[in-house]
Amino acid sequence: MENKKSSIVAVALITAICLAGDSMLYIVLPTHWKEVGLVSLVEVGILLSINRFVRLPLNPIIGLFYSRVNFRSGILLAVLLSGITTLGYGFAEKFELWVVLRCVWGFAWSLFKLGAFLLILQLSTDSNRGKFMGTYNGLYRLGSLLGMLLGGFLADIYGMKVISLFLGTIAFLSIPLIYKYLPTTIHTVALQIHKHKGSSSFKNGYSDILWMLGTAFLTVMILEGMFNAMLSHIINIQIAEESATYFFIGAASLAGILQAVRWGSLPFLTPRVGSLVDKSKMKPFVLFVFMIMATLSLLIISLDIPLLIWLPFLIVHLLISSSVTTIVDTMVSELASKMSNQVKIMTVFTIIADLGAALGPILGYTFEQLFGIRNVLVVCAIIILFLSIRWLLLGKFNKHSSFLNQKNHSIALDRN
């Protein structure tokens, strides 16, 4: 158990170290874009989103890669590419070179993300899958905390090149963790499924997968892609409408502080949420409860209320969003563990999640211009509410669901 947990912690920390360079850009590029050879903020927006779009066609290739190349080599390649791209940020002076670097990072991130999901899938059981997924989700986001805090501070003092060299070098220093803690290979495709009397059917399993993929797409699009991209904008609107004049901190600074609080809390929060999912015999109901909380927090955030009352609800919403992500990741992984084509299912899941993350900012700002941010938040709350009701009904009435049937597929690993 400890060796398995060490591997999960190691891949999360390696990912965090390499993620710092990417996260740094979200703070530094909007203010230092002239320094690195860009000509407009439009180019900044393209560069901060193109790595997400490039992952959509790349994810199937990554799935094929992991079915043919050993796991350790995949993570090593991801580290090397992330280190090179982060170093490159300090020397790139043309938009075209920046595009190449961001596309290469997108490839590296897909290696990290799908590789981690497949590792958790192999090392976990139904009794600890949620805890492992929560541990991974909580720890790898420390990279965002590191990149944004150090990035903003060091870039203002020393410039873009220094912080890029620093974070790029740190990425390479994570390589020893690969050889000490990560397994050389993982077995993911050779699963045999045997049906027992009363077990859920193969058809029902895929029905659950489709619902989970739809839920993943919408929750990532709304709670992660859209809300994270619009966080400082939402705060800025609330500050502008605040009648009190004593609030002096800027929206961008406040958004950074709130995200720091969020990511700093995740290593303690998400493993506990994952353990709650592991222990529950009604996983759809757990998802329902957290999605209801997300609905309520979205509705409260949409209100024009005093800022000092509004901000705590915003922090709670950020933490709930991360909890929903962990629950969805865990439930998809559990379903995939019962199927014969794990790599394909997890590949499709990463594609769906990346698509949601990429579309979220675009749709959010587009609809905000048309209908106003408060109406957008209310509509998002309604969408999450309908999803939560669907999962409540699944948990209450669908007795054949593979999530509810605790004596479902009997699975044997084929080691040949």
Side-chain angles (χ1 to χ4, degrees), residues 119-172:
L119 178 66
I120 292 171
L121 206 58
Q122 172 178 295
L123 298 183
S124 63
T125 65
D126 288 348
S127 64
N128 59 18
R129 186 172 294 111
K131 183 176 181 179
F132 282 176
M133 190 66 73
T135 298
Y136 170 75
N137 284 344
L139 290 177
Y140 91 79
R141 271 303 180 184
L142 291 177
S144 296
L145 178 63
L146 172 68
M148 289 188 172
L149 289 182
L150 280 182
F153 179 72
L154 294 181
D156 286 340
I157 298 176
Y158 301 108
M160 182 76 171
K161 181 175 291 187
V162 171
I163 184 60
S164 297
L165 291 174
F166 177 71
L167 294 178
T169 302
I170 289 179
F172 291 117

Side-chain angles (χ1 to χ4, degrees), residues 211 215 218-219 291 382-391:
W211 269 108
T215 301
L218 290 172
T219 53
M291 292 181 79
I382 293 172
I383 293 172
I384 300 297
L385 175 63
F386 278 121
L387 282 175
S388 66
I389 293 173
R390 172 62 180 86
W391 283 103

Side-chain angles (χ1 to χ4, degrees), residues 31-320:
T31 56
H32 292 257
W33 52 276
K34 291 182 180 179
E35 176 187 334
V36 298
L38 303 181
V39 298
S40 71
L41 284 173
V42 174
E43 291 185 346
V44 172
I46 293 172
L47 293 176
L48 293 181
S49 61
I50 194 172
N51 59 299
R52 292 176 173 177
F53 282 105
V54 78
R55 293 200 301 259
L56 299 178
L58 285 179
N59 278 322
I61 299 174
I62 301 300
L64 181 63
F65 176 89
Y66 274 117
S67 66
R68 299 189 177 184
V69 178
N70 73 66
F71 173 75
R72 188 179 285 174
S73 297
I75 300 298
L76 176 61
L77 177 60
V79 170
L80 294 175
L81 292 178
S82 65
I84 291 170
T85 55
T86 304
L87 291 175
Y89 297 154
F91 297 93
E93 294 183 349
K94 291 185 178 180
F95 177 70
E96 293 78 10
L97 179 56
W98 272 99
V99 169
V100 172
L101 291 173
R102 296 300 288 157
C103 289
V104 173
W105 162 251
F107 180 76
W109 176 249
S110 290
L111 285 170
F112 280 126
K113 194 71 172 180
L114 186 56
F117 280 158
L118 295 177
L119 178 66
I120 292 171
L121 206 58
Q122 172 178 295
L123 298 183
S124 63
T125 65
D126 288 348
S127 64
N128 59 18
R129 186 172 294 111
K131 183 176 181 179
F132 282 176
M133 190 66 73
T135 298
Y136 170 75
N137 284 344
L139 290 177
Y140 91 79
R141 271 303 180 184
L142 291 177
S144 296
L145 178 63
L146 172 68
M148 289 188 172
L149 289 182
L150 280 182
F153 179 72
L154 294 181
D156 286 340
I157 298 176
Y158 301 108
M160 182 76 171
K161 181 175 291 187
V162 171
I163 184 60
S164 297
L165 291 174
F166 177 71
L167 294 178
T169 302
I170 289 179
F172 291 117
L173 295 179
S174 68
I175 291 177
L177 296 177
I178 299 175
Y179 291 95
K180 184 172 183 179
Y181 293 107
L182 299 189
T184 303
T185 59
I186 53 177
H187 306 280
T188 57
V189 294
L191 286 176
Q192 297 175 342
I193 300 178
H194 306 283
K195 294 181 182 179
H196 289 264
K197 184 177 180 180
S199 67
S200 59
S201 68
F202 201 65
K203 181 178 180 180
N204 284 331
Y206 273 109
S207 175
D208 287 342
I209 283 288
L210 291 175
W211 269 108
M212 282 307 316
L213 292 177
T215 301
F217 172 75
L218 290 172
T219 53
V220 170
M221 183 181 73
I222 293 172
L223 301 179
E224 298 293 336
M226 182 185 298
F227 204 86
N228 283 345
M230 302 183 73
L231 181 60
S232 59
H233 179 61
I234 294 171
I235 294 173
N236 191 50
I237 291 175
Q238 193 72 14
I239 291 177
E241 295 179 357
E242 175 65 65
S243 58
T245 59
Y246 58 81
F247 204 82
F248 56 87
I249 190 171
S253 298
L254 184 55
I257 292 171
L258 293 181
Q259 291 286 35
V261 171
R262 176 193 195 181
W263 290 322
S265 302
L266 293 190
F268 307 97
L269 174 66
T270 51
R272 287 170 172 77
V273 172
S275 295
L276 176 64
V277 177
D278 291 334
K279 296 174 183 178
S280 174
K281 296 182 179 179
M282 298 288 286
K283 292 178 174 60
F285 183 74
V286 175
L287 181 57
F288 161 77
V289 171
F290 276 86
M291 292 181 79
I292 284 292
M293 289 192 292
T295 299
L296 293 175
S297 60
L298 277 172
L299 290 174
I300 294 173
I301 292 168
S302 71
L303 300 176
D304 182 12
I305 57 179
L307 194 65
L308 294 181
I309 298 176
W310 183 81
L311 279 176
F313 285 103
L314 181 59
I315 296 174
V316 169
H317 174 76
L318 294 174
L319 296 177
I320 291 172

